[in-house]
Amino acid sequence: MIVKIIAIAMAGAILNVIVRQHKSEFSFAVAIATGIVIFSLIKDDVLSVISLTKDYIESLGLETKYIATLFKIIAVAYLTQYGASICEDVGEKSIAMKVELAGRLTIIIMTAPIIFAVINLIMGILP
Amino acid sequence: MGSGVDLIFKIAAIGIITALLHIILKNSQREELALMTSIAGVVVVVFMLMYEISTLFDTIKSLFGL
């Protein structure tokens, strides 16, 4: 599976070099298409990892609410990195920085309830 | 639409064909037509990509429960 992904990535990169030379408008399209194809390959593995972790956490009897937020944060991080790297490919560093800032902010907003829960827990323990 | 690897090759093929068309039309002294074909090629590719990107984001949303 990994060999297939590497082969596709190299094919996309080589095609990107050719396309960028003649007509630079299509270089971002080839990059995005390669990203989409590679993600569609690893989709099943991601699903199995998620269900694996969720079942394990449930078997431990812990609360799964925070684990769901954790997966959401992973998704936001992945999407932000995806968008930022596409912007950087095209050469728009400033837009990439803005996308990353927005991604960090959403993650902070998502983690707020967890941080408050942890702090409340600690305050409860302290005498 | 083009699921799997042929999406990449389709987009690259459209890019190269548009580049060729651009050069041919430029040599036959039809500058504006060459520009039109280039823009048309970009529009076609962007529409194809838009469909694929929306499916990608939907799968991510359903996968991670966003």
Side-chain angles (χ1 to χ4, degrees):
Chain A
M1 170 59 83
I2 186 69
V3 172
K4 210 162 120 183
I5 289 172
I6 294 171
I8 290 171
M10 273 198 285
I14 292 163
L15 278 174
N16 208 345
V17 168
I18 297 171
V19 168
R20 181 176 293 149
Q21 210 180 6
H22 294 287
K23 188 60 78 181
S24 64
E25 291 97 45
F26 292 100
S27 68
F28 79 94
V30 176
I32 291 181
T34 323
I36 289 171
V37 166
I38 287 180
F39 184 77
S40 65
L41 280 176
I42 60 170
K43 189 169 57 173
D44 318 328
D45 303 340
V46 169
L47 199 62
S48 57
V49 163
I50 288 178
S51 49
L52 192 79
T53 358
K54 217 161 244 184
D55 300 345
Y56 181 66
I57 297 292
E58 264 153 23
S59 69
L60 284 180
L62 295 177
E63 206 178 318
T64 59
K65 183 160 68 73
Y66 299 134
I67 301 303
T69 329
L70 176 70
F71 285 136
K72 280 196 191 107
I73 291 167
I74 292 173
V76 169
Y78 171 70
L79 282 176
T80 327
Q81 192 262 337
Y82 185 77
S85 56
I86 295 289
C87 291
E88 251 164 62
D89 274 356
V90 185
E92 300 293 337
K93 279 253 181 321
S94 58
I95 298 178
M97 290 305 150
K98 304 230 171 357
V99 170
E100 271 171 24
L101 176 67
R104 288 196 188 97
L105 279 177
T106 27
I107 287 179
I108 288 171
I109 290 168
M110 277 188 187
T111 48
I114 297 181
I115 293 173
F116 296 155
V118 168
I119 290 173
N120 293 344
L121 198 70
I122 293 169
M123 297 310 263
I125 292 167
L126 287 181
Chain B
M1 276 189 310
S3 72
V5 191
D6 56 1
L7 175 71
I8 306 174
F9 300 127
K10 226 186 279 182
I11 287 176
I14 291 177
I16 292 167
I17 290 167
T18 328
L20 273 174
L21 273 174
H22 189 84
I23 295 164
I24 293 166
L25 287 171
K26 198 182 286 180
N27 292 349
S28 59
Q29 276 78 34
R30 283 203 185 80
E31 289 296 335
E32 64 288 348
L33 208 54
L35 184 60
M36 299 290 279
T37 43
S38 298
I39 294 171
V42 173
V43 164
V44 164
V45 167
V46 165
F47 268 108
M48 267 172 61
L49 266 187
M50 216 147 37
Y51 177 75
E52 294 298 330
I53 287 178
S54 72
T55 41
L56 174 78
F57 284 162
D58 290 344
T59 36
I60 289 181
K61 230 176 258 179
S62 64
L63 209 60
F64 288 96
L66 255 181

